[in-house]
Amino acid sequence: MARFISGATIGGIAQSIGGATALQAGPTGILRRKVAVAKTRDFYSLKNRSCFFTLVHAWSAALSDLERLDWLALGGTRRTIDVFGNPVPLNGMGTFIRYNLPLLQAGLAFNHTPPVDFTATVLSTFTIVADSATQTIKLTALNPTLATGEQIVIACSVTLGTGYTSLKHRPLILHRATAPLSLPIDFSIRWLERGGLLQTGTTLTARLKVMNPASGFYGPALLGLVAVT
């Protein structure tokens, strides 16, 4: 699936040609092709799907009409950014899932009413040490200190070359920890499960984010490169 913006010559497109279908979705268009989807069935993927379906069911079964209207109103003010950098409003259900999915993934209860606190500690630096000899990977330093109750989310992936392939391989979430933190944080087993053996000379891309446990709001992600020694 890809988004596109039609130019001045061609307006809205809604047509199917072969296995490709073009649709209009607000200010942009969506181009979809029929493909055979291969679903991964590891523990992490199944957990994420379970959290998602829990929220889809809760939207119709657990929320009142007034609560759904409140989520719809929030979606008009807390917009998401599309691939072209344009702010796009979400519908009520999309907003409900956007802020509650991180809470369920963290083992917390979802919010029936929209949150009001959209703040989280902004990270400036971190240090991750990866050692192929001992097959360990640890977060050894983090600045600044997180507020009590905030959750750090650590994700890593092998750094690939620029281009389409590198965009497909997003960092895998390996560890979540709730402040106050006790450093170092060792997530070696999770990396072994999801990323395989650490190889000397390999470079990893690490992504750290801080989540507000009251709202499910993520602060800006901090990216860094980790050289495996």
Side-chain angles (χ1 to χ4, degrees):
M1 186 179 76
R3 285 190 177 272
F4 65 88
I5 298 178
S6 53
T9 304
I10 301 176
I13 303 174
Q15 183 67 44
S16 293
I17 301 177
T21 300
L23 303 169
Q24 281 299 126
T28 64
I30 295 177
L31 183 64
R32 286 191 277 192
R33 294 189 63 187
K34 294 180 181 178
V35 296
V37 179
K39 290 185 178 181
T40 55
R41 297 189 179 277
D42 58 33
F43 168 80
Y44 306 97
S45 298
L46 292 175
K47 178 181 177 181
N48 286 338
R49 289 182 195 136
S50 175
C51 293
F52 180 82
F53 288 127
T54 295
L55 293 174
V56 170
H57 177 72
W59 173 256
S60 58
L63 269 61
S64 67
D65 290 340
L66 182 58
E67 289 170 339
R68 283 190 283 269
L69 288 174
D70 287 341
W71 283 105
L72 178 62
L74 179 64
T77 58
R78 301 289 304 183
R79 301 191 173 198
T80 188
I81 304 298
D82 68 12
V83 294
F84 301 109
N86 300 318
V88 178
L90 291 175
N91 59 25
M93 186 181 193
T95 309
F96 173 72
I97 293 175
R98 177 186 182 184
Y99 289 108
N100 278 308
L101 186 59
L103 297 179
L104 290 190
Q105 290 171 334
L108 303 174
F110 67 82
N111 290 320
H112 283 246
T113 57
V116 295
D117 183 6
F118 298 99
T119 61
T121 296
V122 178
L123 298 175
S124 58
T125 61
F126 67 85
T127 301
I128 290 179
V129 176
D131 188 340
S132 61
T134 58
Q135 288 296 309
T136 56
I137 180 168
K138 302 177 182 180
L139 174 69
T140 60
L142 187 68
N143 185 55
T145 302
L146 304 189
T148 299
E150 284 187 319
Q151 189 172 103
I152 184 79
V153 181
I154 306 170
C156 285
S157 65
V158 174
T159 304
L160 302 174
T162 57
Y164 176 73
T165 302
S166 66
L167 294 177
K168 282 182 65 181
H169 292 77
R170 296 182 177 181
L172 301 169
I173 293 179
L174 301 174
H175 191 82
R176 298 174 184 268
T178 303
L181 304 177
S182 178
L183 297 176
I185 295 175
D186 189 331
F187 50 96
S188 309
I189 295 178
R190 287 290 183 88
W191 173 261
L192 184 62
E193 290 177 347
R194 307 199 71 184
L197 294 175
L198 293 167
Q199 303 290 336
T200 304
T202 302
T203 301
L204 308 180
T205 298
R207 182 190 68 195
L208 273 65
K209 296 192 295 184
V210 179
M211 187 191 78
N212 183 323
S215 62
F217 171 78
Y218 278 120
L222 181 60
L223 295 175
L225 297 179
V226 179
V228 180
T229 58

